[in-house]
Amino acid sequence: MRDHQPNVEILSEQVLLTTAIFTIREARLRYRTYDADRSLSDDWSRPVTLVNADRGDSVAAVVVDTARGEIVLVEQFRFPTLGHGSGWLVELVAGMVDADEAPETAVRREIREEIGYDVRVLERISTFHLSPGGSSERVTLFYAEIDDSLRVGAGGGRADEAENIARRVVPLGDLSALLDGGTIQDAKTLAGLLWLHRKRSRS
């Protein structure tokens, strides 16, 4: 497979907007096209203008309280979803990776901040793009185990970041019903819970 960099030519690039969450970049570029065998050819596409919402990388965790037999989720207000429902989503514990921070460090921090636990077991599941058509954000998904002995705080998020987060628990036996019920509207949460369902089915 060709290295992707020689197959893309950036003709121009500019920052359209910088906010507390995103940097919006616009690029004029062209890229190699596929040949009849669906392999990258020596031909180029016409120049196109594309936009990237650059947010950095994030982490999320499928958290299981093994002593209680519960999946630990969180619920919080998400403004961009307001036009499609109440605005409150049930999700995995998640957050952004700070500069020069390892994903494992970030996810442990987020678990402490959002639900108030240290972690007994932490396993990396996968890293994937959330919305590759418009954003460079990648999420690294983890599986984490907790129990009452690891409780270190109240959770609820960081007040200085205007977070207001409620802890929600689901019995492991209700996982199939949760997935089938249409309650989960968040992509990373669906991915994580489907992974957990597959893991439990193989046990």
Side-chain angles (χ1 to χ4, degrees):
M1 180 180 292
R2 296 171 184 257
D3 182 271
H4 74 282
Q5 294 300 330
N7 297 322
V8 178
E9 182 182 9
I10 305 294
L11 305 173
S12 64
E13 188 172 9
Q14 62 177 324
V15 173
L16 298 180
L17 177 69
T18 300
T19 74
I21 297 176
F22 288 107
T23 296
I24 310 297
R25 304 179 190 277
E26 180 184 82
R28 184 81 170 162
L29 58 85
R30 61 180 191 158
Y31 52 85
R32 298 284 187 186
T33 58
Y34 292 114
D35 59 22
D37 296 326
R38 311 315 294 169
S39 299
L40 288 182
S41 70
D42 292 327
D43 296 326
W44 291 90
S45 71
R46 63 178 177 81
V48 294
T49 300
L50 300 174
V51 173
N52 172 28
D54 187 359
R55 192 179 182 217
D57 288 341
S58 60
V59 290
V62 181
V63 180
V64 173
D65 185 326
T66 52
R68 296 178 180 272
E70 295 174 337
I71 307 160
V72 184
L73 302 167
V74 295
E75 186 175 15
Q76 60 188 308
F77 179 69
R78 296 297 202 185
F79 170 60
T81 73
L82 187 57
H84 301 282
S86 70
W88 274 264
L89 288 188
V90 176
E91 306 174 49
L92 301 180
V93 172
M96 302 308 297
V97 179
D98 291 339
D100 302 320
E101 186 179 33
E104 289 80 4
T105 303
V107 78
R108 289 178 183 275
R109 171 176 52 75
E110 291 293 340
I111 292 170
R112 284 193 300 271
E113 291 174 0
E114 295 193 2
I115 61 172
Y117 284 84
D118 280 334
V119 172
R120 179 164 54 84
V121 171
L122 187 67
E123 175 187 339
R124 185 189 289 238
I125 298 171
S126 182
T127 299
F128 52 87
H129 287 273
L130 285 174
S131 184
S135 175
S136 60
E137 181 181 355
R138 299 176 303 172
V139 59
T140 299
L141 182 63
F142 292 88
Y143 169 73
E145 292 183 359
I146 62 171
D147 58 50
D148 284 345
S149 69
L150 299 169
R151 189 72 182 260
V152 293
R158 292 181 52 174
D160 62 332
E161 294 182 358
E163 291 183 331
N164 187 254
I165 296 171
R167 184 171 176 263
R168 301 288 185 238
V169 297
V170 176
L172 280 166
D174 293 346
L175 176 56
S176 291
L178 178 66
L179 287 168
D180 292 341
T183 302
I184 302 303
Q185 299 290 307
D186 172 67
K188 66 182 180 295
T189 303
L190 279 172
L193 294 180
L194 286 167
W195 176 90
L196 181 62
H197 186 269
R198 185 178 182 215
K199 174 184 172 72
R200 284 172 51 79
S201 297
R202 290 182 167 184
S203 299

